[in-house]
Amino acid sequence: MSVRILHTADNHIGITFRQYPPDVQQRLIDERFEALNRIIDIANQHQAHFVTIGGDLFDKVAVRSTDIRKAVEILARFEGEAVLVLAGNHDYCEGDESKLWKAFCQSINSAGIVPLLKPQTEEFTVDNIPIVFYACPCPTKYSDEPVIGWVKDIAKSPEKLHIGLAHGNVEGLGLDDNQRYFNMTEEALRAANVDTWLLGHIHVPYPEPGSTGKPLYFMPGIPTPDSVKVTRPAQAWWIELELGGNCRFEPVLTEGIRFVRLKRELQNSIDLQRLRTDCNNLDAPNTVLDLIVSGRLSSEDQDLLRNLLAEITPSFLHVGIDQEITTLLSPEEIASRFAAGTLPNQLLHALLADSSHPNDAHIALEIIESIKR
């Protein structure tokens, strides 16, 4: 028999996405809740015993009460033993006066939602397997000390499963040069003598999908992306733990939207067609596209680029465009800019004819244009 856990973290409900237009902003805000719904749906479909949230369910300690209630309503749909919700460094709990967690606890009308707001153990028995969870929540947003040290001092029966829950950086996995994010070492995690750790904070999954064995810890990544910095598919971990040490795990994909950055250098119509193909291969209605294009194009190809951008933009959730396109010089382009017989006309024609230095004509044009300005 095994204990079945769906482990997630870092949903960050409460991000405002104010950099986007109102309709896109609202879609991205709604996606926070939709992702949480997908987590609960997957857990119910797989008959999980537990859903564990390793911190930062909320993006900050000041979250609208309606958002708190909505999150609780979603968690209450879980049909298993319990949802364990750890306070992370964004939604830290300073104590009994935390407005966020006070509102969260007041919204709970189900015994199946367990907020973990102080160092504590929570014990359960499922399928005759006793389980002890060791909760190590964040009491502040920043700290140069981890909060897991107390776990090693607790005697642990070999007849029980022992699972740690914590939030923070793991040395060697994430960047924490100033030791601000409850930095944990593998040595300290191992010294706690638990079967495994379920962590949050670093938005990159660990271990690598496809790994085997029993990892020292699991980092789930994030259930849905929040920027183009997220380049991996959003996921959670499905984990099955047996008394005695056996462990099976696999990632489950959870994203509903994607943030994609395409960076392309364009030189001709073939490059434009490749760009069109790349865009067509994306799930446009559910994609925030950050498009960066540069290069030299003829006037005709620049028109094609404008038409392409006008065509694809409405199909995406949002498109941000950063372009640095200069004009590809040709005899016709020179003639359209400078009268025959003028010094710029003669100079540019001469430089363009020098095939061994193809960039010189473009550099000269840039200089001429800067002088004109």
Side-chain angles (χ1 to χ4, degrees), residues 117-135:
L117 309 179
K118 61 183 179 180
Q120 65 192 80
T121 58
E122 291 287 339
E123 298 197 30
F124 300 87
T125 299
V126 295
D127 293 339
N128 296 317
I129 301 175
I131 309 120
V132 185
F133 288 96
Y134 299 81

Side-chain angles (χ1 to χ4, degrees), residues 32 66 84 110 228 333 348 371:
R32 304 284 105 191
T66 53
L84 304 180
S110 165
V228 293
E333 185 67 31
L348 293 173
I371 293 173

Side-chain angles (χ1 to χ4, degrees), residues 137-209:
C138 296
T140 56
K141 187 173 179 63
Y142 305 111
S143 175
D144 57 3
E145 294 292 335
V147 290
I148 64 172
W150 65 276
V151 179
K152 70 178 185 300
D153 299 324
I154 305 295
K156 298 174 179 68
S157 166
E159 304 301 318
K160 299 179 180 180
L161 270 176
H162 302 276
I163 302 171
L165 274 167
H167 187 91
N169 187 66
V170 176
E171 195 171 284
L173 180 63
L175 296 176
D176 189 10
D177 293 337
N178 297 319
Q179 304 288 301
R180 302 179 72 202
Y181 297 107
F182 303 90
N183 196 60
M184 297 171 278
T185 65
E186 289 198 359
E187 180 182 8
L189 291 167
R190 195 169 284 109
N193 194 31
V194 297
D195 287 281
T196 195
W197 283 93
L198 306 179
L199 305 179
H201 178 66
I202 299 171
H203 292 189
V204 176
Y206 180 89
E208 284 290 331

Side-chain angles (χ1 to χ4, degrees), residues 43-321:
N44 287 338
Q45 289 163 10
H46 286 72
Q47 296 183 317
H49 294 114
F50 300 97
V51 170
T52 53
I53 300 177
D56 289 356
L57 173 62
F58 301 102
D59 185 59
K60 45 189 172 288
V61 293
V63 179
R64 296 187 308 173
S65 58
T66 53
D67 289 347
I68 296 171
R69 289 194 297 271
K70 188 172 182 178
V72 169
E73 289 170 2
I74 294 170
L75 298 179
R77 295 197 304 104
F78 180 54
E79 299 168 358
E81 188 75 20
V83 181
L84 304 180
V85 185
L86 187 78
N89 76 301
H90 275 255
D91 54 10
Y92 59 91
C93 183
E94 293 180 289
D96 294 338
E97 297 307 310
S98 169
K99 292 182 179 179
L100 168 65
W101 291 108
K102 184 180 290 187
F104 184 88
C105 292
Q106 289 173 347
S107 299
I108 295 173
N109 56 14
S110 165
I113 301 175
V114 182
L116 303 175
L117 309 179
K118 61 183 179 180
Q120 65 192 80
T121 58
E122 291 287 339
E123 298 197 30
F124 300 87
T125 299
V126 295
D127 293 339
N128 296 317
I129 301 175
I131 309 120
V132 185
F133 288 96
Y134 299 81
C136 305
C138 296
T140 56
K141 187 173 179 63
Y142 305 111
S143 175
D144 57 3
E145 294 292 335
V147 290
I148 64 172
W150 65 276
V151 179
K152 70 178 185 300
D153 299 324
I154 305 295
K156 298 174 179 68
S157 166
E159 304 301 318
K160 299 179 180 180
L161 270 176
H162 302 276
I163 302 171
L165 274 167
H167 187 91
N169 187 66
V170 176
E171 195 171 284
L173 180 63
L175 296 176
D176 189 10
D177 293 337
N178 297 319
Q179 304 288 301
R180 302 179 72 202
Y181 297 107
F182 303 90
N183 196 60
M184 297 171 278
T185 65
E186 289 198 359
E187 180 182 8
L189 291 167
R190 195 169 284 109
N193 194 31
V194 297
D195 287 281
T196 195
W197 283 93
L198 306 179
L199 305 179
H201 178 66
I202 299 171
H203 292 189
V204 176
Y206 180 89
E208 284 290 331
S211 302
T212 58
K214 185 173 73 172
L216 174 62
Y217 63 91
F218 289 90
M219 192 73 73
I222 54 176
T224 188
D226 54 19
S227 76
V228 293
K229 294 179 182 178
V230 181
T231 57
R232 292 173 178 247
Q235 66 157 72
W237 279 117
W238 175 257
I239 304 165
E240 298 181 30
L241 287 167
E242 293 181 9
L243 197 60
N246 289 335
C247 178
R248 296 178 295 278
F249 57 92
E250 63 180 353
V252 290
L253 299 182
T254 58
E255 69 185 10
I257 64 166
R258 293 193 68 194
F259 289 75
V260 175
R261 172 171 285 163
L262 290 182
K263 190 173 183 179
R264 298 291 184 266
E265 184 172 352
L266 307 175
Q267 301 293 345
N268 50 48
S269 58
I270 296 176
D271 292 338
L272 289 172
Q273 186 55 49
R274 288 174 180 156
L275 175 60
R276 179 188 294 276
T277 300
D278 290 341
C279 292
N280 287 341
N281 287 336
L282 297 172
D283 179 16
N286 298 307
T287 299
V288 176
L289 177 62
D290 183 25
L291 185 59
I292 302 173
V293 293
S294 61
R296 294 187 181 123
L297 292 173
S298 67
S299 296
E300 180 181 355
D301 284 341
Q302 288 185 49
D303 289 337
L304 291 176
L305 175 60
R306 280 189 288 271
N307 292 337
L308 171 60
L309 296 179
E311 176 187 333
I312 67 170
T313 296
S315 63
F316 281 86
L317 176 56
H318 179 73
V319 179
I321 302 171

